[in-house]
Structures are given as structure tokens and as C-alpha cells.
Amino acid sequence: MTKKIFSKPQAVIGLVLIVIVVICAIFAPVIAPNSPDQIDPSLKYLKADWDYPLGTDQLGRCELSRLIYGARYAIGMSIPMLLILGILGLIIGTFSVCAGEKMDRIITFICDVFISFPSLITAIAVISVLGNGIQNIAVAVVISMWAWFARTVRSYATTEMGKEYITAARISGCSTVSLIFRHLIPNILPQCIVYMSTGVASAIIMISSFSFLGLGLPQGTAEWGAMMNEARTGLYGHPEMLVYPGICIFVTTAGFNLFGEALRDALTSEGGI
């Protein structure tokens, strides 16, 4: 299985990109050449040199240091959110399939209602009610995306319910809880992991979108979306300040998408999806 995954160039490229971003997030204080929050107006818009490899922004802050620290928000916020979404999706999706036709219809209807609204619009509405803050961003993302995960898990579980081992488990008197946690979830978990890996990219884009719109994180935070928002004031004179964080978002999301697609292809070839 592992050999099949890493025989694909997209898996190797994706994993390398993910590892680079994760290393930057973990070792940001060591890798960053300067403090990301040190303001010196006399150094604004300096060109790249040894002290400031990518120059400085409109407040004289080191652009490279802020990009490196931005990886902490991208990884540190998106991964926990996806874990929460994955757990909710597994529980709700499998319960919907096992709880009977009536309950399945109710849960499916609720999911359809949430899915009918764009995730970003739903999340913005939640943040406008709860206010700014990392915790509120997490709540907003979970509320706006849980239905997508639940519906996807339900589709996996529905396929699995038609297999003989599920019928045998029910005949043997297996309870609904036991059926979910001992049989369904272990067998659909690989497909869910694949879906979650590509979902990380969506979460990163959504978090950056909040910051770009001035929602969620405090102004001046070294986060890629917030950096793009601040760079708009000098767009025509210094467009690179907008391009750098955009490249970071692109590279990070591309890494997770490439690796996730490679996982999907490997599982599909084995009949797992």
C-alpha cells in the first residue's frame, strides 16, 4: 500500500510540500530571521537583503518571518478543525445509516439544509454573531462544514451496509453502537482519512478568507490571509507583498490536495473507494 502511494510523483511532491510547511510551523522561532511583529516605520518596503531576505512590509516588519509564522495559523488551526469535523462526520454519518429509515431522512434533510448555503457565507454569519477570535473561527468552520462531512461519511457507510459481514453482524445480534464502532467505522476510516486530507486545503482557504475580509484574527496577525488584506494598500507600488502570502496558501493547499488525491487513487485501485 505504502509503495503504491509513493510510486506516484504527486504523492511525493504533496508530502514534501506538507513536510516543509509543518517544519516551518513547528520551528518558526528558529527558522525566522527576525521577529514577525517588530515594527520599524523607517524600514518600510526595504528591498531584499541578507537581513530581510524578502524585504519588509508597510510597517517595516520582516516579510519572510511573517510568512514562516503564518504557517502556524494555517496548520495549527486547520488540522484540529478537520479532526473535529472528521469525528462529527463519522458519528453522524454512520448513525444516520444505522438508526433506521425515518432518522436517516431527518438527518439527511438537516444536512441538505446546511449544504444549500455556501460554507463561507454560513461561517461569516456565525463569526458576525460570535465575534472575532480563534475559537470562534473554529466554531464557524465546524458549523459551516459538518454537513458535508456527514453526507460523505453516510455515502461510504451506505455502501458498506450492503456487504455480507454487516448482515452477519446483525444476524448475530450486534447492537447499533457496536455495529458502528466495531464494524462500520474501522472499514470506512481509510476513505474518511482521504477526504479529510483534501478537506485541510478547504479549511486553510476558509481561514485565510476570514482574515482577508478582516474577520476572526486581530489586525496585524502574522497570518497569510491577514497579510494579503494589509498588502492591498500598497498593491500598485509593491504587489509582491500580496503575491508572497498567496503563494504560501497555494503551495500548502496544493500539497494536501496532491497527497490526498494520491491516497484516493491508491485506495481506488485496491477497491477501497
Side-chain angles (χ1 to χ4, degrees), residues 10-88:
Q10 67 190 72
V12 177
I13 295 172
L15 185 60
V16 169
L17 294 177
I18 292 171
V19 169
I20 291 173
V21 175
V22 171
I23 289 175
C24 288
I26 296 174
F27 299 104
V30 178
I31 300 174
N34 299 283
S35 170
D37 301 317
Q38 184 176 351
I39 297 175
D40 189 346
S42 65
L43 300 178
K44 70 176 183 178
Y45 292 130
L46 285 182
K47 293 184 178 181
D49 57 24
W50 286 108
D51 293 327
Y52 302 96
L54 291 180
T56 59
D57 63 8
Q58 70 278 6
L59 296 178
R61 298 170 296 191
C62 177
E63 185 71 9
L64 178 59
S65 298
R66 291 178 63 77
L67 292 173
I68 292 173
Y69 272 85
R72 288 191 154 188
Y73 288 95
I75 300 299
M77 293 178 66
S78 61
I79 298 297
M81 290 178 192
L82 263 293
L83 289 175
I84 295 172
L85 285 168
I87 293 171
L88 285 175

Side-chain angles (χ1 to χ4, degrees), residues 199-214:
V200 173
S202 299
I204 290 173
I205 292 174
M206 186 174 288
I207 293 168
S208 298
S209 300
F210 294 154
S211 300
F212 182 75
L213 295 172

